[in-house]
Amino acid sequence: VRDALNSALDEEMKRDEKVFLLGEEVAQYDGAYKVSRGLLDKYGDQRVIDTPITESGFAGLAVGAAMAGLKPICEFMTFNFSMQAIDQVINSAAKSFYMSGGLVKVPIVFRGPNGAAAGVAAQHSQCFAAWYGHCPGLKVVSPFSSEDCRGLLKAAIRDPNPVVVLENELMYGTAFPVSDEAMSEDFVVEIGKCKVERSGKHVTLVSHSKPVGQCLEAEQLATEGIDCEVINLRSIRPLDIETIEKSVMKTNHLVSVEGGWPMFGVGSEICAQIMEGPAFDYLDAPAIRVTGADIPMPYAQVLEDGALPGVQDIILSVKKTLHIE
């Protein structure tokens, strides 16, 4: 995943000299998670820029650069720190195109690790998918695999709108098989489209980021004759509800899985849109949400483990919606 992101940054900086990267430790240290390794040596300190620890300042600087015609990639060392800059992300980046009557474009990418890491407690362990997905004017993507990361980041950099790219710290070192097509410099993943990771007929599992892997890991269900369709959202906003509806019309059951909090979350939005749309009449049981616990993240490992959704939670929820004891 780390290499997929690095290659996407490298190719897009090579393709368009207006693209530049800024953030804490992105240059001389090669990035806090080594995602920008080698880019300073290749492109120089005018295009790979170390910033002070001032998220509001450098995010605002990046938005201004985008308004002036450049294409900044603004890295937050973690999206928890984007709370320092949320006024710039929402009020300056997301709303300016609309408020200017379409005159001011803001082609900017905000990227970095999102969601819970490990052992970093309440202030560094939250998922921002629902926060940023709530706001018109932003596009929000949440990649799972190396192919997702590579294709979605390249699409985000080329997009004329502000795009939030929610990576996952625990996934950076994960390896995935990648097709030859995905290694092409022209490869992009369309923003706003899901990917059906596995076809099935009994229940639809919808997820994004790391929990997609947990849905795929729930192999115990297959041994019990339960055939799960696993959908990787890829894009939070816009949300590809049509693919989810099509799946629900086939399986007649829906379980959403996310690492974030339950209140007003991504799963809540999916359930609401399914209820309002044509797939509702196909449901044979209420949709179920699997989420993180509705608490600030505990520091103690045993409590942290209990606060995050696991494979067993997914298995129990699938059996519940299928009325299997």
Side-chain angles (χ1 to χ4, degrees):
V1 165
R2 177 184 288 112
D3 295 339
L5 292 164
N6 179 268
S7 67
L9 291 169
D10 186 9
E11 288 170 15
E12 294 307 303
M13 292 181 75
K14 175 183 169 185
R15 177 177 175 269
D16 187 345
E17 63 182 19
K18 291 182 178 179
V19 176
F20 72 99
L21 174 68
L22 78 166
E24 294 155 3
E25 296 188 349
V26 299
Q28 292 184 29
Y29 191 66
D30 280 340
Y33 301 97
K34 307 305 176 192
V35 169
S36 52
R37 179 182 285 149
L39 297 182
L40 174 64
D41 292 340
K42 191 167 184 178
Y43 297 104
D45 60 8
Q46 294 295 298
R47 295 184 65 197
V48 184
I49 303 168
D50 278 330
T51 65
I53 306 173
T54 61
E55 280 78 11
S56 181
F58 68 73
L61 184 153
V63 172
M67 290 176 173
L70 297 178
K71 296 181 180 178
I73 303 163
C74 177
E75 175 179 314
F76 295 118
M77 192 182 291
T78 133
F79 260 95
N80 300 282
F81 302 156
S82 77
M83 290 172 70
Q84 301 288 333
I86 201 164
D87 180 55
Q88 301 289 358
V89 178
I90 304 300
N91 281 329
S92 300
K95 298 177 183 176
S96 290
F97 184 71
Y98 175 80
M99 292 179 71
S100 67
L103 294 177
V104 178
K105 293 183 174 65
V106 190
I108 187 171
V109 173
F110 299 101
R111 55 155 294 270
N114 170 64
V120 290
Q123 293 169 332
H124 291 175
S125 299
Q126 52 217 347
C127 175
F128 286 85
W131 293 52
Y132 288 119
H134 185 61
C135 301
L138 288 178
K139 293 185 179 182
V140 183
V141 298
S142 180
F144 162 60
S145 65
S146 300
E147 188 170 301
D148 290 354
C149 286
R150 186 171 152 75
L152 286 169
L153 181 53
K154 286 169 75 73
I157 294 168
R158 296 182 190 190
D159 200 291
N161 302 286
V163 184
V164 173
V165 180
L166 301 171
E167 300 157 12
N168 187 289
E169 180 180 334
L170 299 179
M171 297 291 289
Y172 283 137
T174 307
F176 292 87
V178 176
S179 65
D180 291 339
E181 178 196 4
M183 292 307 295
S184 164
E185 290 194 5
D186 298 320
F187 176 73
V188 292
V189 168
E190 183 180 354
I191 295 173
K193 292 293 181 185
C194 294
K195 181 185 180 187
V196 179
E197 296 282 352
R198 180 191 292 156
S199 293
K201 60 187 179 184
H202 293 137
V203 60
T204 300
L205 294 173
V206 183
S207 189
H208 68 95
S209 189
K210 188 172 182 285
V212 174
Q214 295 175 314
C215 292
L216 293 169
E217 287 168 24
E219 292 164 357
Q220 177 189 328
L221 293 167
T223 64
E224 296 179 30
I226 301 169
D227 192 11
C228 299
E229 180 142 300
V230 178
I231 295 179
N232 171 8
L233 282 176
R234 284 182 163 175
S235 178
I236 306 298
R237 185 184 184 103
L239 182 68
D240 181 8
I241 197 67
E242 291 82 8
T243 297
I244 302 168
E245 286 175 339
K246 185 178 176 183
S247 178
V248 169
M249 288 175 177
K250 177 176 70 172
T251 67
N252 311 115
H253 299 89
L254 174 64
V255 175
S256 68
V257 186
E258 63 187 305
W261 293 312
M263 296 288 284
F264 312 102
V266 175
S268 303
E269 179 63 26
I270 291 168
C271 290
Q273 290 200 31
I274 289 296
M275 187 187 74
E276 293 166 349
F280 177 70
D281 291 331
Y282 290 79
L283 282 173
D284 288 343
I288 293 179
R289 294 173 297 150
V290 178
T291 70
D294 194 20
I295 55 169
M297 182 62 73
Y299 174 67
Q301 185 176 346
V302 64
L303 296 178
E304 180 184 73
D305 291 344
L308 291 168
V311 174
Q312 201 58 36
D313 298 306
I314 297 168
I315 290 169
L316 291 172
S317 296
V318 167
K319 290 184 174 181
K320 181 180 178 181
T321 193
L322 293 172
H323 302 295
I324 297 170
E325 291 300 326

Short mmCIF file of all heavy atoms in Angstrom, two decimals, residues 101-139:
data_model
loop_
_atom_site.label_atom_id
_atom_site.label_comp_id
_atom_site.label_asym_id
_atom_site.label_seq_id
_atom_site.Cartn_x
_atom_site.Cartn_y
_atom_site.Cartn_z
N GLY A 101 -19.79 31.23 -7.72
CA GLY A 101 -20.55 31.03 -8.95
C GLY A 101 -19.78 30.25 -9.99
O GLY A 101 -19.96 30.45 -11.20
N GLY A 102 -18.89 29.37 -9.53
CA GLY A 102 -18.13 28.53 -10.45
C GLY A 102 -16.86 29.17 -10.98
O GLY A 102 -16.19 28.61 -11.84
N LEU A 103 -16.49 30.34 -10.46
CA LEU A 103 -15.30 31.06 -10.96
C LEU A 103 -14.01 30.58 -10.30
O LEU A 103 -12.95 30.60 -10.92
CB LEU A 103 -15.46 32.56 -10.75
CG LEU A 103 -16.58 33.25 -11.55
CD1 LEU A 103 -16.66 34.72 -11.17
CD2 LEU A 103 -16.35 33.09 -13.04
N VAL A 104 -14.10 30.16 -9.03
CA VAL A 104 -12.89 29.80 -8.28
C VAL A 104 -12.83 28.28 -8.12
O VAL A 104 -13.62 27.70 -7.37
CB VAL A 104 -12.86 30.48 -6.89
CG1 VAL A 104 -11.62 30.04 -6.11
CG2 VAL A 104 -12.89 31.99 -7.04
N LYS A 105 -11.92 27.66 -8.83
CA LYS A 105 -11.70 26.22 -8.69
C LYS A 105 -10.67 25.96 -7.61
O LYS A 105 -9.73 26.75 -7.44
CB LYS A 105 -11.24 25.62 -10.02
CG LYS A 105 -12.29 25.64 -11.13
CD LYS A 105 -11.76 24.95 -12.39
CE LYS A 105 -12.85 24.85 -13.45
NZ LYS A 105 -13.29 26.16 -13.95
N VAL A 106 -10.84 24.86 -6.88
CA VAL A 106 -9.90 24.51 -5.80
C VAL A 106 -9.45 23.05 -5.99
O VAL A 106 -9.91 22.14 -5.31
CB VAL A 106 -10.54 24.71 -4.41
CG1 VAL A 106 -9.47 24.58 -3.31
CG2 VAL A 106 -11.23 26.06 -4.30
N PRO A 107 -8.52 22.82 -6.93
CA PRO A 107 -8.06 21.45 -7.19
C PRO A 107 -7.00 21.02 -6.17
O PRO A 107 -5.80 21.12 -6.40
CB PRO A 107 -7.46 21.56 -8.60
CG PRO A 107 -6.97 22.98 -8.68
CD PRO A 107 -7.89 23.81 -7.83
N ILE A 108 -7.47 20.51 -5.04
CA ILE A 108 -6.56 20.17 -3.94
C ILE A 108 -6.87 18.78 -3.42
O ILE A 108 -8.02 18.33 -3.48
CB ILE A 108 -6.68 21.21 -2.80
CG1 ILE A 108 -5.61 20.98 -1.71
CG2 ILE A 108 -8.08 21.23 -2.19
CD1 ILE A 108 -5.54 22.12 -0.69
N VAL A 109 -5.86 18.09 -2.94
CA VAL A 109 -6.02 16.79 -2.29
C VAL A 109 -5.57 16.92 -0.84
O VAL A 109 -4.47 17.42 -0.57
CB VAL A 109 -5.18 15.69 -3.00
CG1 VAL A 109 -5.23 14.38 -2.19
CG2 VAL A 109 -5.68 15.47 -4.42
N PHE A 110 -6.43 16.51 0.08
CA PHE A 110 -6.05 16.37 1.49
C PHE A 110 -5.92 14.88 1.75
O PHE A 110 -6.88 14.13 1.57
CB PHE A 110 -7.13 16.96 2.41
CG PHE A 110 -7.39 18.43 2.20
CD1 PHE A 110 -8.49 18.86 1.48
CD2 PHE A 110 -6.53 19.38 2.74
CE1 PHE A 110 -8.74 20.21 1.29
CE2 PHE A 110 -6.78 20.74 2.57
CZ PHE A 110 -7.88 21.16 1.83
N ARG A 111 -4.73 14.42 2.15
CA ARG A 111 -4.54 12.98 2.34
C ARG A 111 -3.74 12.69 3.61
O ARG A 111 -3.01 13.55 4.14
CB ARG A 111 -3.84 12.33 1.13
CG ARG A 111 -2.51 12.95 0.71
CD ARG A 111 -1.64 11.94 -0.03
NE ARG A 111 -1.23 10.85 0.84
CZ ARG A 111 -0.11 10.87 1.58
NH1 ARG A 111 0.71 11.91 1.55
NH2 ARG A 111 0.18 9.85 2.37
N GLY A 112 -3.87 11.44 4.09
CA GLY A 112 -3.15 11.00 5.27
C GLY A 112 -3.90 9.84 5.91
O GLY A 112 -4.96 9.44 5.44
N PRO A 113 -3.34 9.27 6.99
CA PRO A 113 -3.98 8.13 7.65
C PRO A 113 -5.21 8.53 8.46
O PRO A 113 -5.21 9.56 9.13
CB PRO A 113 -2.87 7.57 8.55
CG PRO A 113 -1.93 8.71 8.76
CD PRO A 113 -2.01 9.57 7.55
N ASN A 114 -6.23 7.70 8.36
CA ASN A 114 -7.52 7.95 9.00
C ASN A 114 -7.90 6.74 9.84
O ASN A 114 -7.46 5.63 9.59
CB ASN A 114 -8.57 8.17 7.90
CG ASN A 114 -9.98 8.21 8.44
OD1 ASN A 114 -10.33 9.10 9.21
ND2 ASN A 114 -10.80 7.24 8.04
N GLY A 115 -8.74 6.95 10.85
CA GLY A 115 -9.26 5.85 11.65
C GLY A 115 -8.31 5.44 12.76
O GLY A 115 -7.28 6.08 12.99
N ALA A 116 -8.66 4.36 13.42
CA ALA A 116 -7.87 3.90 14.57
C ALA A 116 -6.55 3.31 14.11
O ALA A 116 -6.48 2.59 13.11
CB ALA A 116 -8.66 2.86 15.35
N ALA A 117 -5.48 3.62 14.84
CA ALA A 117 -4.18 2.97 14.63
C ALA A 117 -4.06 1.90 15.71
O ALA A 117 -4.89 1.01 15.79
CB ALA A 117 -3.06 3.99 14.67
N ALA A 118 -3.07 1.99 16.56
CA ALA A 118 -2.93 1.02 17.65
C ALA A 118 -2.27 1.70 18.84
O ALA A 118 -1.17 2.23 18.72
CB ALA A 118 -2.10 -0.18 17.20
N GLY A 119 -2.96 1.71 19.96
CA GLY A 119 -2.38 2.21 21.20
C GLY A 119 -2.14 3.71 21.23
O GLY A 119 -1.24 4.17 21.93
N VAL A 120 -2.93 4.48 20.48
CA VAL A 120 -2.72 5.94 20.48
C VAL A 120 -3.91 6.69 21.09
O VAL A 120 -3.99 7.91 21.01
CB VAL A 120 -2.40 6.48 19.07
CG1 VAL A 120 -1.01 6.02 18.64
CG2 VAL A 120 -3.43 6.03 18.04
N ALA A 121 -4.83 5.95 21.69
CA ALA A 121 -5.90 6.50 22.53
C ALA A 121 -6.90 7.40 21.79
O ALA A 121 -6.92 7.44 20.57
CB ALA A 121 -5.29 7.22 23.74
N ALA A 122 -7.72 8.09 22.57
CA ALA A 122 -8.94 8.71 22.06
C ALA A 122 -8.71 9.82 21.03
O ALA A 122 -9.46 9.94 20.07
CB ALA A 122 -9.77 9.26 23.23
N GLN A 123 -7.67 10.65 21.24
CA GLN A 123 -7.52 11.82 20.38
C GLN A 123 -6.90 11.49 19.02
O GLN A 123 -6.94 12.32 18.11
CB GLN A 123 -6.67 12.87 21.10
CG GLN A 123 -7.39 13.45 22.31
CD GLN A 123 -6.47 14.29 23.18
OE1 GLN A 123 -5.27 14.07 23.23
NE2 GLN A 123 -7.05 15.26 23.88
N HIS A 124 -6.35 10.28 18.88
CA HIS A 124 -5.67 9.91 17.62
C HIS A 124 -6.29 8.67 16.98
O HIS A 124 -5.62 7.97 16.23
CB HIS A 124 -4.18 9.65 17.88
CG HIS A 124 -3.41 10.88 18.24
ND1 HIS A 124 -2.08 10.84 18.59
CD2 HIS A 124 -3.77 12.17 18.29
CE1 HIS A 124 -1.67 12.07 18.86
NE2 HIS A 124 -2.68 12.90 18.68
N SER A 125 -7.55 8.39 17.27
CA SER A 125 -8.11 7.10 16.85
C SER A 125 -9.52 7.21 16.26
O SER A 125 -10.32 6.31 16.45
CB SER A 125 -8.15 6.13 18.04
OG SER A 125 -6.87 5.89 18.55
N GLN A 126 -9.81 8.29 15.55
CA GLN A 126 -11.18 8.40 15.04
C GLN A 126 -11.22 8.38 13.51
O GLN A 126 -10.26 8.73 12.86
CB GLN A 126 -11.88 9.65 15.57
CG GLN A 126 -11.13 10.94 15.38
CD GLN A 126 -11.29 11.90 16.55
OE1 GLN A 126 -12.14 11.71 17.40
NE2 GLN A 126 -10.48 12.93 16.59
N CYS A 127 -12.38 7.95 13.01
CA CYS A 127 -12.60 7.88 11.56
C CYS A 127 -13.33 9.14 11.11
O CYS A 127 -14.36 9.50 11.69
CB CYS A 127 -13.42 6.64 11.22
SG CYS A 127 -13.86 6.55 9.47
N PHE A 128 -12.81 9.77 10.06
CA PHE A 128 -13.39 11.03 9.58
C PHE A 128 -14.23 10.86 8.32
O PHE A 128 -14.61 11.84 7.69
CB PHE A 128 -12.27 12.05 9.34
CG PHE A 128 -11.70 12.62 10.61
CD1 PHE A 128 -10.71 11.94 11.29
CD2 PHE A 128 -12.19 13.79 11.15
CE1 PHE A 128 -10.20 12.43 12.49
CE2 PHE A 128 -11.71 14.29 12.34
CZ PHE A 128 -10.70 13.61 13.02
N ALA A 129 -14.54 9.62 7.95
CA ALA A 129 -15.33 9.39 6.74
C ALA A 129 -16.68 10.09 6.82
O ALA A 129 -17.11 10.76 5.87
CB ALA A 129 -15.50 7.89 6.50
N ALA A 130 -17.37 9.93 7.94
CA ALA A 130 -18.69 10.55 8.08
C ALA A 130 -18.57 12.08 8.22
O ALA A 130 -19.42 12.82 7.71
CB ALA A 130 -19.42 9.96 9.29
N TRP A 131 -17.51 12.54 8.92
CA TRP A 131 -17.31 13.99 9.09
C TRP A 131 -17.24 14.69 7.73
O TRP A 131 -17.97 15.64 7.46
CB TRP A 131 -16.01 14.27 9.84
CG TRP A 131 -15.91 13.85 11.26
CD1 TRP A 131 -16.16 12.62 11.78
CD2 TRP A 131 -15.48 14.66 12.36
NE1 TRP A 131 -15.91 12.61 13.13
CE2 TRP A 131 -15.50 13.84 13.51
CE3 TRP A 131 -15.07 15.99 12.49
CZ2 TRP A 131 -15.12 14.31 14.77
CZ3 TRP A 131 -14.69 16.45 13.73
CH2 TRP A 131 -14.73 15.63 14.86
N TYR A 132 -16.32 14.23 6.90
CA TYR A 132 -16.09 14.89 5.62
C TYR A 132 -17.12 14.47 4.57
O TYR A 132 -17.46 15.25 3.68
CB TYR A 132 -14.66 14.65 5.14
CG TYR A 132 -13.65 15.42 5.97
CD1 TYR A 132 -12.66 14.77 6.69
CD2 TYR A 132 -13.71 16.80 6.06
CE1 TYR A 132 -11.75 15.47 7.47
CE2 TYR A 132 -12.81 17.52 6.83
CZ TYR A 132 -11.83 16.85 7.54
OH TYR A 132 -10.95 17.55 8.31
N GLY A 133 -17.64 13.25 4.68
CA GLY A 133 -18.69 12.81 3.77
C GLY A 133 -19.96 13.61 3.92
O GLY A 133 -20.80 13.65 3.01
N HIS A 134 -20.12 14.28 5.05
CA HIS A 134 -21.31 15.10 5.33
C HIS A 134 -21.35 16.39 4.51
O HIS A 134 -22.42 16.97 4.33
CB HIS A 134 -21.29 15.44 6.83
CG HIS A 134 -22.49 16.17 7.34
ND1 HIS A 134 -23.77 15.66 7.28
CD2 HIS A 134 -22.61 17.39 7.93
CE1 HIS A 134 -24.62 16.53 7.82
NE2 HIS A 134 -23.94 17.59 8.21
N CYS A 135 -20.22 16.82 3.98
CA CYS A 135 -20.09 18.19 3.47
C CYS A 135 -20.15 18.28 1.95
O CYS A 135 -19.27 17.76 1.26
CB CYS A 135 -18.75 18.78 3.93
SG CYS A 135 -18.63 18.82 5.72
N PRO A 136 -21.17 18.96 1.41
CA PRO A 136 -21.21 19.19 -0.04
C PRO A 136 -20.03 20.05 -0.48
O PRO A 136 -19.59 20.95 0.24
CB PRO A 136 -22.54 19.92 -0.25
CG PRO A 136 -22.95 20.44 1.08
CD PRO A 136 -22.30 19.59 2.11
N GLY A 137 -19.50 19.74 -1.66
CA GLY A 137 -18.33 20.46 -2.17
C GLY A 137 -17.06 19.65 -2.09
O GLY A 137 -16.09 19.93 -2.78
N LEU A 138 -17.06 18.63 -1.23
CA LEU A 138 -15.91 17.73 -1.12
C LEU A 138 -16.22 16.41 -1.83
O LEU A 138 -17.37 15.97 -1.86
CB LEU A 138 -15.60 17.40 0.35
CG LEU A 138 -15.00 18.47 1.24
CD1 LEU A 138 -14.83 17.91 2.65
CD2 LEU A 138 -13.66 18.95 0.70
N LYS A 139 -15.18 15.77 -2.36
CA LYS A 139 -15.24 14.35 -2.69
C LYS A 139 -14.41 13.64 -1.63
O LYS A 139 -13.38 14.17 -1.20
CB LYS A 139 -14.69 14.09 -4.09
CG LYS A 139 -15.56 14.68 -5.20
CD LYS A 139 -15.04 14.29 -6.57
CE LYS A 139 -15.93 14.88 -7.66
NZ LYS A 139 -15.47 14.48 -9.02
#
